[in-house]
Amino acid sequence: MFQLVESRDGPGEHQPCRTVLTENESFETDFIGASEQDCREWALQRQFQNKTFEQDLIAIVDQQSALDETISLQCYKREPGIELPKHGVLPRKLNQWYTFRVVYTEVNQAYTHLESVVPEIVYPVYFGRKDELTNERGVFDIAKALELCLRGPDAPGES
């Protein structure tokens, strides 16, 4: 679902971004050592220049990723939030990045929630209960988020 961006210039006309690496294949990128902010700014500037890029959603593999097998999923919200009973408007701030650090094997689930599930179900869980669902290492609990989405966003956090 994500593309591997090797150059800050973006993919070339005849050399698209790769989406997968074979076993033991190396990967070089201009973004090694880049800050989270550098990646965010690049995405906002470049995402509309290439129709294959995901809009307002990036994944960053960083130093913490190497230590705990997580990915920093970054979601930019530019549209007005929606008014939800018991929560008010979610997300509360516009034109802002929201970070969800998730275990890499669960990134597909997080992506599906953020991109495909109706906001009335997902927003109260991801934007309204983010602190509750994020552990001391900063990892967002996708299993609990899924459970809450299925049970209803206003269900108690514990089963």
Side-chain angles (χ1 to χ4, degrees):
M1 94 187 63
F2 293 105
Q3 297 180 38
L4 301 169
V5 179
E6 297 177 72
S7 168
R8 288 182 186 258
D9 295 332
E13 185 178 327
H14 301 291
Q15 187 178 17
C17 290
R18 292 187 278 173
T19 57
V20 67
L21 298 174
T22 59
E23 189 172 334
N24 297 321
E25 182 179 6
S26 65
F27 176 71
E28 305 240 351
T29 177
D30 291 346
F31 288 94
I32 292 175
S35 70
E36 185 177 83
Q37 190 59 33
D38 288 339
C39 296
R40 290 171 167 181
E41 288 173 8
W42 185 91
L44 290 178
Q45 292 171 358
R46 295 294 191 136
Q47 68 183 355
F48 298 112
Q49 295 174 3
N50 185 319
K51 292 181 175 136
T52 65
F53 283 171
E54 190 63 45
Q55 304 300 304
D56 296 334
L57 189 68
I58 62 173
I60 299 173
V61 178
D62 57 13
Q63 187 173 8
Q64 183 176 341
S65 302
L67 297 172
D68 64 7
E69 299 185 331
T70 61
I71 289 177
S72 179
L73 190 61
Q74 308 272 321
C75 178
Y76 189 75
K77 287 301 182 186
R78 65 179 71 241
E79 302 295 323
I82 59 172
E83 180 74 37
L84 296 165
K86 299 182 184 178
H87 299 280
V89 175
L90 291 176
R92 289 181 184 21
K93 295 180 183 175
L94 299 181
N95 299 313
Q96 176 171 319
W97 286 95
Y98 291 87
T99 301
F100 300 93
R101 180 167 290 280
V102 298
V103 175
Y104 84 94
T105 57
E106 297 174 330
V107 74
N108 289 345
Q109 186 71 50
Y111 170 85
T112 300
H113 285 161
L114 291 167
E115 292 295 304
S116 302
V117 178
V118 295
E120 290 80 7
I121 293 173
V122 171
Y123 284 14
V125 174
Y126 277 73
F127 299 107
R129 298 177 82 166
K130 182 178 183 233
D131 290 341
E132 174 188 337
L133 296 173
T134 302
N135 69 20
E136 65 281 349
R137 292 183 357 257
V139 180
F140 187 76
D141 190 330
I142 295 298
K144 279 187 183 176
L146 175 59
E147 180 182 334
L148 287 169
C149 286
L150 292 173
R151 288 188 2 218
D154 297 320
E158 298 299 317
S159 346

